[in-house]
Amino acid sequence: MVLYKKIMRRHIFSIIITVLFLIISTYVWFNFKIFDVSYKEIESKNIDVSSQIAFSSLSKMSDKNISNLDAYTFNVSNKSLDKEDFKITIVGDLLSNNISNNYIKYSINNNDIKSLNQDGIIYLDSLEKLETKEIDLKIWISETYKGELNYNGRVVVS
């Protein structure tokens, strides 16, 4: 009976260690995989971004008041001698966001106001050889959102 209890303790301990390992490795994989893939795509497509943009607190406001909102400004450049396509995506932090994408609003270069779709793609375009485009991104939370304000994310260009 004593031997049986020792064996059961070892099995339970092994199961706990395995589960902890799986949880931690999954957390690391999902938090860093998006970052690594994004930069590999940028390098392979000869697209250069002037600055990386991350945001941890977005303002809740009416669409009418966005003229008072500061824009995130960055340049996207094509360093190759060929035309290159690119896309701009907003990627939310997987663990700490509690706001649905349809409450996240944005405007690029003071154009139309749109809600963030489920895949997060906000801009598709192409650059001619050695061309650079300046992007002004305004992003906020819709005033109709009735919950806790917690949204962390970043802009990815690929």
Side-chain angles (χ1 to χ4, degrees):
M1 192 64 157
V2 174
L3 182 61
Y4 177 73
K5 287 184 180 180
K6 281 185 175 181
I7 292 172
M8 286 304 293
R9 282 187 197 142
R10 285 186 188 162
H11 285 300
I12 291 173
F13 181 73
S14 297
I15 291 170
I16 291 171
I17 294 299
T18 303
V19 168
L20 285 174
F21 174 76
L22 290 173
I23 291 171
I24 291 169
S25 61
T26 302
Y27 172 80
V28 169
W29 173 262
F30 281 111
N31 279 325
F32 297 107
K33 181 180 178 192
I34 294 170
F35 183 82
D36 290 338
V37 169
S38 302
Y39 289 102
K40 286 180 185 171
E41 288 177 10
I42 290 171
E43 291 170 7
S44 69
K45 294 189 109 193
N46 296 312
I47 298 292
D48 184 42
V49 182
S50 64
S51 62
Q52 299 305 316
I53 297 174
F55 32 84
S56 59
S57 60
L58 298 177
S59 301
K60 184 175 170 180
M61 66 175 47
S62 166
D63 295 351
K64 298 173 196 169
N65 296 334
I66 66 163
S67 60
N68 300 329
L69 187 63
D70 291 331
Y72 294 95
T73 302
F74 57 97
N75 293 319
V76 180
S77 303
N78 180 2
K79 300 296 183 186
S80 76
L81 297 177
D82 297 319
K83 183 177 180 178
E84 296 284 348
D85 295 329
F86 72 96
K87 68 180 174 181
I88 300 175
T89 307
I90 294 178
V91 179
D93 181 5
L94 297 174
L95 296 178
S96 64
N97 292 331
N98 64 358
I99 300 174
S100 173
N101 278 3
N102 60 330
Y103 288 108
I104 307 296
K105 301 283 197 118
Y106 68 93
S107 174
I108 295 181
N109 298 334
N110 289 320
N111 289 330
D112 296 337
I113 295 172
K114 298 180 181 177
S115 293
L116 188 61
N117 57 22
Q118 292 304 318
D119 61 8
I121 297 173
I122 61 171
Y123 191 74
L124 296 168
D125 204 352
S126 60
L127 294 168
E128 296 297 327
K129 64 180 182 177
L130 305 175
E131 181 184 11
T132 299
K133 285 191 179 181
E134 183 176 85
I135 306 292
D136 290 322
L137 170 66
K138 291 185 178 186
I139 183 168
W140 66 98
I141 298 171
S142 172
E143 70 180 344
T144 61
Y145 180 69
K146 304 287 187 217
E148 209 175 296
L149 297 179
N150 183 19
Y151 187 85
N152 299 311
R154 63 184 167 271
V155 174
V156 177
V157 179
S158 55

